[in-house]
Amino acid sequence: MTAATHSSVSPADADAADAVLLGLDPEQREVATTLRGPVCVLAGAGTGKTRAITHRIAYGVRSGLLMPASVLAVTFTNRAAGEMRGRLRTLGAGGVQARTFHSAALRQLQYFWPRAVGGELPRLLERKIQFVAEAGARCRIRLDRNELRDVTGEIEWAKVTQTVPADYPAAALKAGREAPRDLAEIAQIYGTYEQLKRDRGMIDFEDVLLLTVGVLQDRHDIAEQIRAQYQHFVVDEYQDVSPLQQRLLELWLGDRDSLCVVGDASQTIYSFTGATPDHLLDFRTRYPQATVVKLVRDYRSTPQVVHLANGLLGQARGRAADHRLELVSQREPGPDPVYAEYPDEPAEAEGVAGRVRDLIAAGVPAGEIAVLYRINAQSEVYEQALADAGVPYQLRGAERFFERAEVQKAVLALRGSARSGGSDDPLLQDVVELGSQVRAVLSSTGWTTEPPAGSGAVRDQWESLAALVRLAEDFARSRPGVTLADLVVELDERRAAQHAPTVQGVTLASLHAAKGLEWDAVFLVGLTDGMMPITYAKTDEQVEEERRLLYVGVTRARHHLTLSWALSRAPGGRASRRPSRFLNGLRPGSAALASRPGGPEAGAARKRGRRGPALCRVCGRTLTEAGEIKLMRCEDCPSDMDEGLYERLRDWRAGQSKLQGMPAYCVFTDKTLMAIAEAAPAEAGQLSMISGVGGRKLERYGADVLAICAGQEPAGADPDDA
């Protein structure tokens, strides 16, 4: 292994190095040219952080200040590492190592294991879940498939926080972990799992980091050899490092400080895996002489999107919020974010699919559109809506709904019960209604009427089964008299219809899976309290992480951004849901009006003199044009006007105009008639809430208008009353 050398720079080298700096903004240039000592780059979403750090490495290499082999750049995903390597090659710094923490540690462990321990490195366990299952069985603790996933997650968390089995219960309790089983049981399984690996000569991915840390702590000669090789370190997404990764980084560094870290505390969304922004926020404490550079020029999103993102963080609380970055868009203005309220979830999905189709027709590629949701169980209704609209889609970070194991098992159980006709199925005895039949059958596959506590795979499984129950209820409501066999046919047809092309398809993804990606158009859906923030976010810290998750979603959008929610789950359901609290003060009119814009409560507030901004009752945008205010919607928003009623009102108005010898608009303007035809008021109080219908006109024309709206003939007005 060769140590780096610092050579003198010739004029030609200087010119080549300076060429790397072309096109960088002042802050990015400062990052690129600050090659000595510790550097902390606080980089907001879309500010070109990867560009800044790759150009920093390339500038150092091309100026002769850094030897390519002496630099190790680490990040968190293979995709990000591959992108970094590609950029470095393009910039003339192809010899630099860009790897994930695990990849870099495994490479070192494989090289030094024979010397440090002797023999070959133990085999790497690709999937630990089978060992966790066997450990549970040895402890006489039965775990279903989803509990296995969650217990495995707890073991991974314990290892990256360097918590041994005996200390797990206390550590989990202190950290507020939502454990899937009793803490003592998990500790027992964890200990048995570790013993199983030792007995069979296996290590897992967390062991790769732990063992590398152990070797570097115990063998100073090996540590010094690695430090002689790698003298300069760059760490991307530094807000996501775990305590174990931080310890490994410290051992790589030794007593040196040639370290550049890049991160954004406002994008910390993986704390459940052990990630913490504390290392980023404490960087100046550890390195008082550090250079700190803030990247706030946003090259990704329009000013309208950036304004909303800044507004979200402006309401945040906690330590990460104290270090938030105020982004400044560098792009031309674009459309305002659209806020869309729907009566129910199917209507929301249908509305989103319609808007997606319109964007594609307007020239936005399907691959540049994303629909993002909080949990994977929300995908099914959007898969169906997009399929119905003929829009290709692809799922990211999750199985297709009908390909999930719990859904396949449930459909198999439903098919079996349908085949028997219920006669031989004790679960269906005396059960007639389809929804009740489905709930009864699914109870054998893990369905319960109440959701399980906490998050994780168990909750995901329940949500998938709950989606099937809701689908059955909606199917029965739309087609009275259907049987279980009819439902199975419907499920088969839905599954077949959802095999949509994945090339250039609209992306369906959870907010977590969307991290690090971007699209021209983003739809953030299901934004109701209970989903965003998720219902099991109990503590202030957990709620703030949910806010950061929404911030990540907003900042994925380059140009078009739509935020939507449904007031009820199913058609005809009680409108009991409320838009996410995170949108309060950001959604037009939400700070001024506690009730729904345009509803009776809003009208009553106006009567009491507390008039707030007029809001479109379709998209929620603040209205400024007088005609739009009369309609209580944007001119280009969909109208639900009764055309026949509008024509009858126009005919009546023409008669009144002729009878009273005044222009028609003096009776009611066209916009007021349209508003009446859209609202179809049934009583005087509702009519009085329509802009353009004052007390005098209500008294003069109210009875006639209400009669026309009711489909009756108006009594007519006496011109002497005018």
Side-chain angles (χ1 to χ4, degrees):
M1 293 192 174
T2 306
T5 59
H6 300 292
S7 59
S8 60
V9 182
S10 69
D13 292 335
D15 290 342
D18 287 343
V20 174
L21 303 178
L22 296 177
L24 300 183
D25 66 33
E27 294 79 23
Q28 292 171 342
R29 180 180 287 257
E30 184 180 2
V31 173
T33 56
T34 306
L35 299 173
R36 305 286 188 185
V39 178
C40 179
V41 184
L42 302 176
T47 57
K49 66 179 179 64
T50 305
R51 176 180 176 83
I53 58 177
T54 52
H55 282 246
R56 178 183 190 270
I57 295 169
Y59 179 75
V61 169
R62 295 178 68 167
S63 66
L65 297 174
L66 301 178
M67 293 293 290
S70 75
V71 181
L72 177 60
V74 288
T75 187
F76 284 82
T77 66
N78 289 321
R79 181 187 61 81
E83 179 186 354
M84 192 177 293
R85 286 193 297 270
R87 292 198 189 195
L88 289 169
R89 280 194 300 270
T90 302
L91 293 169
V96 173
Q97 291 293 316
R99 297 181 175 273
T100 65
F101 271 100
H102 284 89
S103 173
L106 180 59
R107 188 164 179 260
Q108 293 171 14
L109 201 59
Q110 288 171 330
Y111 185 84
F112 289 109
W113 186 266
R115 174 173 150 195
V117 180
E120 293 186 359
L121 181 70
R123 288 180 298 132
L124 187 62
L125 180 63
E126 296 287 347
R127 284 176 50 82
K128 60 173 68 71
I129 200 164
Q130 291 94 340
F131 273 41
V132 175
E134 186 174 345
R138 289 195 177 193
C139 296
R140 300 183 182 278
I141 300 172
R142 185 176 180 181
L143 302 172
D144 65 28
R145 185 180 63 87
N146 292 282
E147 286 177 320
L148 274 174
R149 287 165 52 190
D150 289 343
V151 170
T152 301
E154 287 301 295
I155 291 174
E156 291 172 348
W157 172 83
K159 298 185 76 165
V160 300
T161 55
Q162 302 176 82
T163 302
V164 298
D167 296 338
Y168 167 78
L173 198 61
K174 182 179 179 181
R177 302 289 295 178
E178 291 278 358
R181 298 290 296 242
D182 179 78
L183 297 179
E185 288 183 335
I186 295 177
Q188 186 181 4
I189 295 170
Y190 177 15
T192 306
Y193 165 79
E194 291 296 306
Q195 186 61 51
L196 274 174
K197 287 197 289 97
R198 285 192 294 270
D199 292 344
R200 297 178 186 177
M202 305 283 286
I203 59 173
D204 60 27
F205 280 101
E206 289 71 40
D207 290 330
V208 170
L209 300 184
L210 285 164
L211 291 170
T212 305
V213 165
V215 168
L216 296 182
Q217 286 179 157
D218 295 342
R219 293 292 300 268
H220 297 290
D221 58 328
I222 293 176
E224 288 305 319
Q225 188 171 346
I226 290 177
R227 291 166 192 160
Q229 170 70 50
Y230 296 117
Q231 298 188 5
H232 309 280
F233 295 85
V234 177
V235 184
D236 193 13
E237 302 288 3
Y238 193 54
Q239 78 278 352
D240 289 334
V241 296
S242 68
L244 180 56
Q245 290 164 332
Q246 175 63 24
R247 179 59 184 146
L248 178 58
L249 179 61
E250 291 167 354
L251 288 166
W252 282 340
L253 275 167
D255 58 2
R256 299 164 303 167
D257 62 2
S258 186
L259 170 65
C260 175
V261 300
V262 189
D264 179 8
S266 297
Q267 296 189 68
T268 306
I269 59 172
Y270 295 111
S271 64
F272 60 91
T273 67
T276 170
D278 290 346
H279 305 300
L280 175 67
L281 300 179
D282 291 340
F283 195 81
R284 281 291 294 272
T285 302
R286 296 198 309 276
Y287 300 103
Q289 76 280 22
T291 299
V292 178
V293 184
K294 294 182 179 181
L295 302 184
V296 297
R297 301 174 195 253
D298 189 315
Y299 297 95
R300 175 188 299 160
S301 304
T302 62
Q304 288 79 4
V305 173
V306 167
H307 178 71
L308 175 56
N310 286 336
L312 270 176
L313 291 189
Q315 299 179 351
R317 299 291 181 268
R319 192 174 183 218
D322 292 340
H323 294 79
R324 61 182 174 267
L325 299 168
E326 188 84 8
L327 300 178
V328 181
S329 176
Q330 306 299 297
R331 293 192 55 179
E332 292 295 319
D336 287 333
V338 174
Y339 296 86
E341 182 174 281
Y342 296 91
D344 52 68
E345 288 180 6
E348 182 181 8
E350 184 179 345
V352 167
R355 289 175 182 263
V356 166
R357 188 172 51 196
D358 292 344
L359 284 173
I360 294 173
V364 180
E368 286 295 343
I369 303 173
V371 178
L372 307 180
Y373 34 77
R374 177 60 181 84
I375 59 174
N376 288 327
Q378 292 173 272
S379 75
E380 192 274 336
V381 67
Y382 292 95
E383 293 177 51
Q384 184 63 47
L386 290 172
D388 289 345
V391 175
Y393 66 88
Q394 54 185 331
L395 271 82
R396 182 179 182 88
E399 301 163 297
R400 292 176 182 272
F401 180 81
F402 285 102
E403 292 174 4
R404 296 171 192 165
E406 63 269 21
V407 174
Q408 291 180 336
K409 181 180 178 182
V411 172
L412 189 63
L414 291 170
R415 181 173 286 109
S417 294
R419 189 175 294 118
S420 68
S423 58
D424 298 327
D425 194 336
L427 292 171
L428 300 184
Q429 290 179 1
D430 302 321
V431 181
V432 178
E433 190 264 328
L434 180 62
S436 298
Q437 289 180 332
V438 171
R439 285 191 290 272
V441 174
L442 296 191
S443 65
S444 65
T445 68
W447 165 256
T448 57
T449 54
E450 294 297 323
S455 58
V458 172
R459 179 66 180 237
D460 286 346
Q461 180 202 37
W462 186 91
E463 294 286 1
S464 294
L465 296 180
L468 277 178
V469 172
R470 292 194 297 268
L471 191 153
E473 292 172 343
D474 295 342
F475 184 58
R477 190 179 297 111
S478 63
R479 293 174 55 184
V482 292
T483 65
L484 199 56
D486 295 326
L487 176 64
V488 170
V489 172
E490 171 73 5
L491 292 175
D492 288 340
E493 291 176 352
R494 282 175 175 252
R495 175 171 181 146
Q498 290 173 18
H499 286 303
T502 58
V503 178
Q504 269 302 307
V506 172
T507 298
L508 294 176
S510 70
L511 287 164
H512 281 102
K515 178 73 167 65
L517 303 174
E518 58 186 78
W519 296 269
D520 282 345
V522 169
F523 292 81
L524 302 177
V525 300
L527 300 182
T528 58
D529 264 346
M531 190 59 72
M532 178 55 68
I534 198 78
T535 185
Y536 48 75
K538 304 294 186 184
T539 67
D540 291 344
E541 186 177 338
Q542 290 169 338
V543 169
E544 286 304 318
E545 181 146 337
E546 293 286 300
R547 189 194 307 275
R548 295 194 295 270
L549 189 57
L550 181 57
Y551 171 80
V552 166
V554 167
T555 55
R556 300 310 94 194
R558 299 191 192 105
H559 193 73
H560 302 279
L561 177 63
T562 299
L563 305 95
S564 64
W565 58 91
L567 297 177
S568 67
R569 180 186 62 78
R574 189 165 63 90
S576 59
R577 294 175 173 177
R578 292 293 176 264
S580 168
R581 72 190 77 165
F582 297 148
L583 300 180
N584 289 345
L586 304 173
R587 182 169 53 90
S590 57
L593 292 176
S595 57
R596 286 183 59 199
E601 300 89 348
R606 289 198 295 272
K607 297 295 183 184
R608 293 192 296 269
R610 297 197 297 272
R611 189 183 182 97
L615 305 175
C616 174
R617 54 191 167 80
V618 180
C619 72
R621 184 177 69 84
T622 300
L623 304 175
T624 56
E625 297 294 330
E628 292 184 335
I629 291 174
K630 281 184 179 292
L631 292 175
M632 290 306 293
R633 67 171 173 81
C634 306
E635 286 280 8
D636 55 356
C637 275
S639 169
D640 53 1
M641 182 179 70
D642 184 330
E643 296 285 352
L645 174 57
Y646 178 63
E647 290 303 322
R648 291 195 300 275
L649 288 168
R650 281 175 58 89
D651 291 343
W652 167 82
R653 183 184 64 172
Q656 290 294 317
S657 171
K658 182 177 180 180
L659 187 64
Q660 299 180 39
M662 63 172 66
Y665 67 80
C666 291
V667 181
F668 286 119
T669 66
D670 286 347
K671 285 290 194 290
T672 299
L673 288 188
M674 290 175 67
I676 293 171
E678 290 185 351
E683 47 93 17
Q686 295 174 350
L687 179 59
S688 70
M689 294 177 189
I690 296 174
S691 179
V693 182
R696 191 162 175 264
K697 289 191 177 183
L698 180 67
E699 182 179 355
R700 180 178 299 172
Y701 304 124
D704 280 6
V705 170
L706 290 172
I708 294 170
C709 289
Q712 303 167 358
E713 288 296 322
D718 188 343
D720 294 334
D721 292 338

